[in-house]
Amino acid sequence: MMPAHLRDSVIPKHEQLRVILLHRCIKELQPGDLMTSERKLMQDYGVSRITVREAIGQLVNDGHLVRVRGKGTFVAHRPVQSKLHLASFTEEMRAQGHQPTTVVLMSEEDVAPEATARALRLAPDTRAYHVKRLRLADGEPVSVDDGWFNAALLPGLVDLDLTGSIYRATADKYGMPIDRAEQTVSANGADADVATLLGIKKGAPVMYFDRVSFSGPTAIEHTRSWYRSDRYQLQMEVQGQERAQRSS
């Protein structure tokens, strides 16, 4: 459809233009595509520079567009949003309409590090499965997962197809569904290895997760993960104390 000059109405012109550009971002353009220049938008829709900048500014604030100095305005990568609950990366991405893919970087049996041995309640120098994977959504890197698994409880795990959900494998193949996890989240600067894998600069901010996952009372996974903070968001519901007590 050819652009047409915007008309005066009860809806301000900057809001009319914002809706038009939002439709382009979602339906017509891909993440990383260059948005039409301000001058061209002024000509196409018969509006002032102030109107164009207000419409674009709102879309930038909402995360749909990103400005790059000296280059222009581009369609932003749609962030992956995760509610703070227990689910595999694969399941979360599919539930949100993203296409998950996984690159297995390491799959081996080795002596568990001291911190992992404590987390999994293993004796010192016990061997465990070490699986390191790069997780992507819609072809874009989202996280690096560096996990250790109790080999005695999950024999042959590293021989399986680890590009899918390990949580589904623990439930379906071993009868040990992951039903609880203890997790801490912090903000870190990416080291050189993580930065290279995620396609960001060394020291760029990432969300760091340290998780111990359980099947019943038994700890079977200890995983450290680094997530791109510009492509991954956490959502959570916060309750007041009285409501939380009524719900418990």
Side-chain angles (χ1 to χ4, degrees), residues 90-109:
T90 301
E91 292 169 345
E92 278 197 324
M93 296 306 100
R94 288 176 177 164
Q96 296 178 46
H98 297 286
Q99 180 61 45
T101 52
T102 296
V103 178
V104 179
L105 305 171
M106 179 183 299
S107 175
E108 63 181 12
E109 185 177 343

Side-chain angles (χ1 to χ4, degrees), residues 166-177:
I166 291 182
Y167 281 13
R168 181 170 294 279
T170 64
D172 294 348
K173 181 175 176 61
Y174 300 100
M176 301 194 72

Side-chain angles (χ1 to χ4, degrees), residues 184-219:
T184 60
V185 184
S186 60
N188 281 7
D191 64 21
D193 178 57
V194 168
T196 298
L197 292 170
L198 293 180
I200 56 179
K201 293 182 179 180
K202 180 180 177 181
V206 292
M207 284 188 285
Y208 171 67
F209 294 73
D210 191 311
R211 169 186 283 196
V212 181
S213 301
F214 298 80
S215 181
T218 306

Side-chain angles (χ1 to χ4, degrees), residues 1-22 24 38 40-56:
M1 182 181 297
M2 294 294 294
H5 284 200
L6 301 181
R7 298 182 179 179
D8 291 327
S9 75
V10 294
I11 301 175
K13 288 184 178 180
H14 67 80
E15 176 61 17
Q16 295 179 50
L17 183 58
R18 186 195 68 82
V19 171
I20 292 170
L21 298 183
L22 177 60
R24 285 193 192 178
E38 290 184 0
K40 185 70 163 57
L41 290 173
M42 292 167 58
Q43 294 173 351
D44 288 346
Y45 295 101
V47 294
S48 68
R49 185 178 297 275
I50 292 176
T51 296
V52 171
R53 288 186 172 176
E54 186 163 357
I56 289 178

Side-chain angles (χ1 to χ4, degrees), residues 80 89 93 98-101 135-142 231:
V80 173
F89 179 88
M93 296 306 100
H98 297 286
Q99 180 61 45
T101 52
R135 318 305 295 272
L136 304 97
D138 305 323
E140 298 290 342
V142 173
R231 292 186 183 163

Side-chain angles (χ1 to χ4, degrees), residues 5 19 24 32 46 70 79 113-114 118 130 149 156 158 190 215 220:
H5 284 200
V19 171
R24 285 193 192 178
E114 183 178 343
R118 288 198 304 269
H130 185 195
F149 299 84
V158 291
S215 181
I220 63 175

Side-chain angles (χ1 to χ4, degrees), residues 103-187:
V103 178
V104 179
L105 305 171
M106 179 183 299
S107 175
E108 63 181 12
E109 185 177 343
D110 202 351
V111 175
E114 183 178 343
T116 293
R118 288 198 304 269
L120 297 182
R121 301 167 188 172
L122 303 175
D125 298 326
T126 298
R127 298 180 71 83
Y129 291 139
H130 185 195
V131 179
K132 186 174 182 179
R133 302 185 294 175
L134 175 65
R135 318 305 295 272
L136 304 97
D138 305 323
E140 298 290 342
V142 173
S143 74
V144 177
D145 296 345
D146 193 348
W148 290 83
F149 299 84
N150 189 324
L153 299 175
L154 308 171
L157 177 70
V158 291
D159 298 323
L160 303 180
D161 178 6
L162 300 178
T163 61
S165 171
I166 291 182
Y167 281 13
R168 181 170 294 279
T170 64
D172 294 348
K173 181 175 176 61
Y174 300 100
M176 301 194 72
I178 301 294
D179 52 24
R180 182 173 70 88
E182 297 175 358
Q183 177 172 274
T184 60
V185 184
S186 60

